[in-house]
Amino acid sequence: MLIINCPYCGERPEIEFRYGGEAHIARPADPSALSDAEWTDFLYNRTNPKGKHAERWRHIHGCGRYFNAVRDTVSDFFVTTYKTGEARPDIEESAR
Amino acid sequence: MRPDAAAEAPLQKFSGFALLRNALGGHQNWGHQWRNPAPKDEYDVVIVGAGGHGLGAAYYLAKEHGITNVAVIERGWLGGGNTGRNTTIIRSNYLFDESAALYEHSVKLWEGLSQDLNYNVMYSARGVLMLAHNHHDVASFKRHVHSNRLNGVDNEWLDADGVKAFCPPLNIKSMRYPILGGALQRRGGTARHDAVAWGFARGASDRGVDIIQNCEVTGIRRGANGAVEGVETSRGFIRAKKIGVSAAGHTSVVMSMAGVRMPLESYPLQALVSEPVKPAFDSVVMSNTIHAYISQSDKGEMVIGAGTDAYTSYSQRGGLHITTHTLDAICELVPQFRRLRMLRNWGGIVDVTPDRSPIIAKTPVPGLYVNCGWGTGGFKATPGSANVFAHTIAKDAPHPINAPFSLERFRDGFLIDEAAAAAVAH
């Protein structure tokens, strides 16, 4: 089981959290201006990298708040966690 | 026999006579089952990934479409990915017409596969029973039964006593969620997963397909017109007119080499087996609600499927609390198994689509085809998927069976929303 560092509550076991998928996917400001392909990309396509992945987690059985994390999807090691609204930390993109 | 000598030897057909002859020779003269060639400079078709789906596609390309200048390129060893890691369950009791057609195509191929390949894949139609534990399950499974039967797929409803009669080891009453009934597909069952990869490899190699193991694809080269030119590999550049990606959990990684973003996320899915015991469980039993599925292998191990982890990962491990949760359910479902010791557990990486249905399709890149998104339930579809993927590559157009399983369905809103795809909560 992973130990996850909630930026609001500190380190807690994984079962207190709910996974929220890839982070930093902003809803388009003007959806009707998008082509079907761009809307599909927003809705369905995901980076799914083998390596560093910026992702959302929710501390559902704690503070209940969403936050972001950068995790290595090969080792499941959490590089860092940070509050929603903060920019993605400058961590080098993973190699394949 | 030296490997290069084996490469020249003609394929031996398996038969009662061959078995007798080799028995008299002390089983010292069985040849190699497939060649182990060095890659050529150019192929008509390169398949990326030598799992059951990829090897099967190469087999059907050669057998049904006469395309034999084919290579199957594999990073590890053939059948070493999800083909060798799954719980070997076969069934076709899917709700929607599109899915029923695809999976039923596969079950029909399973029924004759050992004869077709001259290789025993040990398909065992022992029946797959899906348990209902609450009112919603009962309503949902009855709907599945009706839908399946309209599609010509066998499925029948059993009440609680019928469930107990079909599978006596089950505890149907003294549990948190008692068993109210179940949907039974008698033609469902299991097969020997390794034999499927080996049988397709043998059949494809015999027809001229090169299977190249320990060869990692590191890039997909595209020409000025956007079409594929070949694959960069750890053993050099291999030119290819067409490329079929059949890379399961690593599909996003491979497709990104061609600049194609995929509607996929990769998750670890775990399974485990018990110590081997005498025959004690003669069917396949699955439960969505308490999340467990179990069957007994021919070696005697109880084969148990757990769930996916909550987060995307390529770690091939998965959290222990996921397997613990499944074992809780198994112990309640079959109390006599409480004293079984678990021998091994492992994880595989499964690629999951937003609608839990696969993608077998052309891509926006000319000459690039993809077979992916099988999520937690790809084994059952191996021959059917390979068969229609080969058709798609050979004709540069999908077979009617896989036409709905396109990439464009996400753009156009024609999702095939099989939330029950693995019969367990995803």
Side-chain angles (χ1 to χ4, degrees):
Chain A
M1 187 176 300
L2 306 177
I3 303 294
I4 300 174
N5 185 23
C6 170
Y8 305 100
C9 308
E11 290 189 344
R12 299 294 178 86
E14 175 194 337
I15 49 170
E16 290 190 13
F17 297 84
R18 197 62 69 76
Y19 183 65
E22 186 172 348
H24 306 297
I25 300 175
R27 185 181 168 85
D30 185 6
S32 56
L34 263 55
S35 69
D36 285 353
E38 289 166 330
W39 186 244
T40 307
D41 197 55
F42 162 69
L43 277 184
Y44 297 118
N45 291 344
R46 294 294 176 264
T47 313
N48 196 23
K50 187 175 184 179
K52 308 285 191 305
H53 186 224
E55 59 195 18
R56 303 194 310 160
W57 285 84
R58 187 179 176 203
H59 193 186
I60 191 163
H61 298 301
C63 62
R65 300 170 81 170
Y66 274 102
F67 60 92
N68 292 331
V70 174
R71 182 177 53 92
D72 189 320
T73 60
V74 177
S75 62
D76 292 335
F77 176 76
F78 278 85
V79 181
T80 185
T81 55
Y82 52 102
K83 292 176 181 174
T84 300
E86 294 177 4
R88 184 192 155 134
D90 188 20
I91 291 163
E92 96 294 354
E93 289 291 329
S94 70
R96 290 189 188 96
Chain B
M1 190 182 285
R2 289 177 298 114
D4 50 343
E8 305 305 323
L11 184 75
Q12 292 171 297
K13 292 284 276 184
F14 290 115
S15 66
F17 176 70
L19 186 64
L20 185 65
R21 195 183 58 218
N22 279 281
L24 294 173
H27 292 296
Q28 297 300 303
N29 298 316
W30 290 108
H32 286 235
Q33 297 299 309
W34 50 81
R35 295 171 295 111
N36 200 15
K40 290 193 281 188
D41 294 337
E42 180 168 4
Y43 290 95
D44 290 339
V45 178
V46 163
I47 305 278
V48 181
H53 289 245
L55 291 165
Y59 172 78
Y60 288 117
L61 274 173
K63 177 174 178 254
E64 297 192 349
H65 303 284
I67 300 172
T68 57
N69 187 23
V70 176
V72 185
I73 296 179
E74 168 57 45
R75 183 178 64 149
W77 63 96
L78 68 84
N82 292 350
T83 299
R85 294 164 189 268
N86 64 82
T87 51
T88 77
I89 297 169
I90 295 168
R91 61 187 178 87
S92 59
N93 51 354
Y94 282 69
L95 181 63
F96 294 112
D97 296 353
E98 297 89 344
S99 314
L102 177 61
Y103 291 98
E104 182 63 13
H105 179 54
S106 197
V107 167
K108 283 183 176 145
L109 287 171
W110 278 117
E111 287 171 336
L113 196 60
S114 293
Q115 287 74 24
D116 183 35
L117 293 174
N118 180 234
Y119 200 91
N120 190 0
V121 300
M122 297 164 76
Y123 167 60
S124 160
R126 57 183 68 182
V128 172
L129 178 64
M130 293 165 70
L131 299 176
H133 299 267
N134 56 43
H135 179 76
H136 172 79
D137 284 352
V138 172
S140 166
F141 286 158
K142 284 186 174 173
R143 182 182 174 212
H144 272 73
V145 168
H146 295 313
S147 168
N148 290 156
R149 293 169 77 139
L150 286 169
N151 276 315
V153 175
D154 74 302
N155 200 358
E156 61 193 90
W157 175 254
L158 302 182
D159 60 15
D161 291 338
V163 166
K164 182 73 180 170
F166 179 75
C167 186
L170 289 178
N171 164 28
I172 61 167
K173 288 205 171 73
S174 54
M175 59 195 298
R176 173 67 182 84
Y177 296 101
I179 295 168
L180 304 180
L184 171 65
Q185 185 178 23
R186 293 186 189 271
R187 286 159 67 242
T190 61
R192 174 89 170 94
H193 49 357
D194 293 324
V196 177
W198 298 338
F200 275 130
R202 175 174 173 270
S205 179
D206 185 43
R207 285 170 169 79
V209 172
D210 285 355
I211 300 163
I212 299 160
Q213 304 179 70
N214 299 308
C215 181
E216 181 175 1
V217 170
T218 54
I220 293 176
R221 194 185 288 180
R222 295 172 62 183
N225 62 352
V228 298
E229 289 188 335
V231 289
E232 311 276 1
T233 77
S234 55
R235 294 170 69 173
F237 178 67
I238 300 172
R239 192 167 287 281
K241 295 189 183 76
K242 294 177 176 178
I243 300 172
V245 175
S246 189
H250 281 74
T251 302
S252 295
V253 176
V254 176
M255 293 300 284
S256 72
M257 295 172 189
V260 179
R261 272 167 64 79
M262 296 296 291
L264 293 172
E265 290 189 302
S266 297
Y267 294 89
L269 176 67
Q270 297 181 75
L272 60 166
V273 293
S274 73
E275 57 189 334
V277 292
K278 286 184 178 179
F281 205 83
D282 64 0
S283 58
V284 181
V285 170
M286 320 180 69
S287 168
N288 305 16
T289 302
I290 62 173
H291 204 303
Y293 45 106
I294 181 167
S295 63
Q296 187 170 18
S297 75
D298 291 332
K299 283 190 287 185
E301 303 155 327
M302 296 301 161
V303 183
I304 296 165
T308 57
D309 278 282
Y311 47 84
T312 64
S313 177
Y314 290 82
S315 68
Q316 289 192 329
R317 284 196 300 271
L320 190 59
H321 63 289
I322 303 287
T323 43
T324 308
H325 176 67
T326 288
L327 288 178
D328 287 347
I330 294 289
C331 289
E332 208 174 42
L333 209 54
V334 198
Q336 69 189 38
F337 291 167
R338 284 181 184 193
R339 290 161 66 195
L340 278 180
R341 283 165 294 194
M342 292 298 134
L343 212 57
R344 301 186 298 279
N345 78 325
W346 63 89
I349 303 303
V350 299
D351 45 326
V352 177
T353 57
D355 62 357
R356 305 300 188 265
S357 285
I359 299 164
I360 316 169
K362 298 172 68 171
T363 70
V365 178
L368 184 65
Y369 308 83
V370 68
N371 177 8
C372 66
W374 289 97
T376 57
F379 177 75
K380 67 176 79 70
T382 303
S385 145
N387 186 266
V388 295
F389 191 42
H391 179 104
T392 306
I393 294 171
K395 310 284 186 197
D396 191 37
H399 187 280
I401 288 176
N402 69 308
F405 295 89
S406 67
L407 268 172
E408 290 75 26
R409 75 174 186 265
F410 297 100
R411 182 194 65 199
D412 300 338
F414 291 103
L415 302 189
I416 304 163
D417 196 5
E418 288 282 1
V424 291
H426 282 273

